[in-house]
Amino acid sequence: MKIFGGKRFFIYGGGVSGKAAYKAIKKHGGTAKIYSDSDGKFVEPPDKKYDGAVISPGIRPTHPVYEYCARRAVRTLSEVEIGFTIAEDRRTVGVTGTNGKTTVTRLIAEMTDGTACGNIGYPVSAAALKKSAAPLVCELSSFQLRGACISPGVAVITNMASDHVDWHGSIEDYFDSKLNIAANMHGGFLVLGEDIPIGALERLKTDAQIVRCSTDGVCDGAYVNDGYFYFMNSRVCPVDYLRLQGEHNVKNALCAIAAAKCIGTENSKILDALSSTAPSPHRAETVGEACGKLWIDDSKGTNVSACLAAVKLTTGTVCLIAGGRGKDTDFSELFRALDERVVEVVAMGETAQNIRDSACAALPELKVTVVNALADAVRAAARSDADTVLLSPACASFDEFKNYAERGERFKAEVALLKKQDNRALERRK
């Protein structure tokens, strides 16, 4: 009998993950139907006899579909659970965290010849349908993990900081969702990055073996010592082989090394991955020079900790472009920790006034310019005296764009226009 033989599901949300779950359920003997909101209102499935409801990770916990399922005792699950159920005979790695998820997922997949999937845009259930012996390396967001029942062979939590409180309702719910990656593990390994608050770790419940990471001394796991990456007291390779720049990427590499070694990866494969993996698009990506400044696209920096990490990678004085749609973010955390090389901030979008108020309270001497949109922010930054302009919004993009990638591409396009203006001015002077 097939995995979902005789089971009936409804899927709420007809996006990429919903369609993937539909195909996976049908392929494995179940029946399913997709529903979505109509004009912003809940569409109640007319047939009440369902064994489960697969709900899109973008749907908030307060949505009426959850109350509907509770009243009818219909079990709610995620597309990720469908994928892990199908992949029960394959090696699986789950990766979550506030920052670094994509980088660590890509590194592990490269090290293990695995298939990267999940929150990177390739649904877990779609990847699980492919006949392959390659490990599934799954990037998992807090939205996907909230209430999910999965048991990866290796789980990774890169780091944890305040994020998505607007969606989760509280920082505790956000932490619990992240920790849920290991809550149903009975054996296997849980890799913990070093930047996880004690308050979050106190909430951790798992039967997995804990493997730690450290940039500051020997530990039971992956660590840096005398210029080398180590795992369990055995040298892996020189740190200098890591192509990705910045201390945060050393920490990301440690998480990836630990996960790869937990499933028996050879050092040579790890070295090859560390030396060849390039930065993700829109993550501290150099766009070029214009108006006498270096322009950097870190549109993927959607929270305070990511923004601060991006600032550390810059050189010279910095004009920071920040803002967008807020996530109940406390921007005072940003300005209390901001590098003194940041001499100007251009605040844009829905959170612009909030950012300005936080900056004025924490750093009264800091110049802050408030604008409406990204194009206005680029023009304002072009007039600054800074050496570098960094787009690292510490916010979501949804006030003006569909996603962070679209925001990053628009930023690049605006900088390209500035370059053309520079070239025309140069031609006129000849």
Side-chain angles (χ1 to χ4, degrees), residues 406-419:
E406 184 181 73
R407 177 171 60 189
E409 291 303 318
R410 178 70 64 82
F411 177 72
K412 291 179 182 179
E414 294 292 337
V415 175
L417 290 176
L418 294 179
K419 290 180 183 179

Side-chain angles (χ1 to χ4, degrees), residues 293-311:
K293 312 174 199 316
L294 181 66
W295 297 74
I296 297 175
D297 169 18
D298 190 59
S299 182
K300 205 171 189 293
T302 60
N303 54 58
V304 167
S305 53
C307 177
L308 291 171
V311 170

Side-chain angles (χ1 to χ4, degrees), residues 95-177:
V95 181
T96 194
T98 302
N99 294 305
K101 297 185 295 295
T102 302
T103 299
V104 173
T105 298
R106 290 171 62 226
L107 281 172
I108 297 170
E110 286 291 327
M111 292 172 181
T112 63
D113 294 322
T115 300
C117 59
N119 196 49
I120 60 172
Y122 183 27
V124 177
S125 57
L129 282 181
K130 304 291 185 181
K131 291 184 178 180
S132 171
L136 288 180
V137 187
C138 315
E139 179 186 328
L140 304 173
S141 71
S142 61
F143 304 164
Q144 292 170 307
L145 287 170
R146 189 180 190 276
C149 183
I150 60 171
S151 181
V154 179
V156 181
I157 303 176
T158 60
N159 49 60
M160 291 172 71
S162 179
D163 200 12
H164 296 300
V165 175
D166 61 324
W167 194 91
H168 284 277
S170 69
I171 188 63
E172 290 79 15
D173 189 82
Y174 173 70
F175 284 166
D176 288 345
S177 296

Side-chain angles (χ1 to χ4, degrees), residues 151-290:
S151 181
V154 179
V156 181
I157 303 176
T158 60
N159 49 60
M160 291 172 71
S162 179
D163 200 12
H164 296 300
V165 175
D166 61 324
W167 194 91
H168 284 277
S170 69
I171 188 63
E172 290 79 15
D173 189 82
Y174 173 70
F175 284 166
D176 288 345
S177 296
K178 290 291 189 186
L179 297 171
N180 196 44
I181 194 172
N184 296 288
M185 293 176 68
H186 302 288
F189 301 92
L190 170 59
V191 176
L192 296 177
E194 62 182 351
D195 295 328
I196 302 176
I198 293 174
L201 290 176
E202 289 174 346
R203 308 175 73 88
L204 175 64
K205 297 177 181 178
T206 185
D207 291 332
Q209 178 179 333
I210 303 296
V211 178
R212 299 189 179 276
C213 299
S214 175
T215 56
D216 192 33
V218 178
C219 67
D220 289 334
Y223 58 91
V224 173
N225 187 35
D226 197 24
Y228 284 84
F229 288 119
Y230 281 78
F231 182 76
M232 297 295 186
N233 299 317
S234 294
R235 186 182 287 182
V236 177
C237 69
V239 174
D240 287 348
Y241 275 81
L242 177 62
R243 182 178 177 184
L244 302 173
Q245 299 298 305
E247 181 185 1
H248 64 293
N249 277 320
V250 174
K251 295 177 180 180
N252 289 335
L254 285 170
C255 289
I257 290 168
K261 295 302 289 184
C262 283
I263 56 176
T265 305
E266 295 180 357
N267 289 348
S268 59
K269 294 288 295 180
I270 291 173
L271 187 152
D272 288 345
L274 294 179
S275 60
S276 63
T277 300
S280 300
H282 313 296
R283 176 64 87 189
E285 181 182 2
T286 298
V287 176
E289 293 188 7

